[in-house]
């Protein structure tokens, strides 16, 4: 009986570790995938049909479209800014040169 309980606990812990590693790997690859990030941002700006959108709106759109949390959406926005895909002043966001083409 005792060994069965230990085996069950070990299996559950192993599953949790695997789920954590899978999620971490997926988010890491998402942050480094310029083409996918560029496509999502292009879709957002095309759908909104405005040259400038609010920072909060973009974060909400990234969360909804990429199924990520608030923190990861901010990381992705930072990556997009460093790649030149968007320009932001903290309150508004507009497409960068790479998205306007």
């Amino acid at each position: 009986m005792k060994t069965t309980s230990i085996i069950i606990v070990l299996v559950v812990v192993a599953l949790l570790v695997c789920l954590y590693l899978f999620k971490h790997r997926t988010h890491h690859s998402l942050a480094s995938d310029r083409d996918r990030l560029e496509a999502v941002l292009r879709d957002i700006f095309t759908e909104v049909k405005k040259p400038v959108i609010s920072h909060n709106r973009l974060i909400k759109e990234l969360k909804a479209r990429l199924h990520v949390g608030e923190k990861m959406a901010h990381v992705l926005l930072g990556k997009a800014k460093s790649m030149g895909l968007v320009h932001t002043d903290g309150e508004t966001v507009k497409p960068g040169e790479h998205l306007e083409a």
Side-chain angles (χ1 to χ4, degrees):
M1 183 72 172
K2 188 175 182 180
T3 57
T4 305
S5 299
I6 292 173
I7 291 173
I8 290 173
V9 169
L10 289 176
V11 168
V12 169
V13 169
L15 284 173
L16 291 174
V17 169
C18 288
L19 287 173
Y20 173 79
L21 292 175
F22 175 74
K23 184 175 181 180
H24 179 72
R25 182 179 58 93
T26 303
H27 284 172
H28 178 70
S29 66
L30 180 63
S32 62
D33 188 357
R34 180 190 173 99
D35 295 333
R36 183 169 176 206
L37 184 58
E38 185 174 347
V40 168
L41 289 170
R42 190 179 310 275
D43 289 345
I44 291 170
F45 281 103
T46 301
E47 185 178 298
V48 172
K49 297 179 183 174
K50 293 181 182 177
V52 178
I53 61 174
S54 74
H55 183 270
N56 290 335
R57 170 97 187 257
L58 184 61
I59 292 296
K60 287 179 185 176
E61 290 288 335
L62 285 173
K63 286 170 50 177
R65 292 172 188 254
L66 297 174
H67 309 288
V68 296
E70 183 94 15
K71 183 178 177 182
M72 190 61 191
H74 283 283
V75 169
L76 292 171
L77 182 58
K79 291 281 188 178
K81 184 178 177 183
S82 69
M83 292 177 188
L85 298 176
V86 295
H87 298 292
T88 181
D89 62 5
E91 293 181 16
T92 60
V93 182
K94 62 181 181 176
E97 298 82 28
H98 299 292
L99 283 182
E100 292 173 347

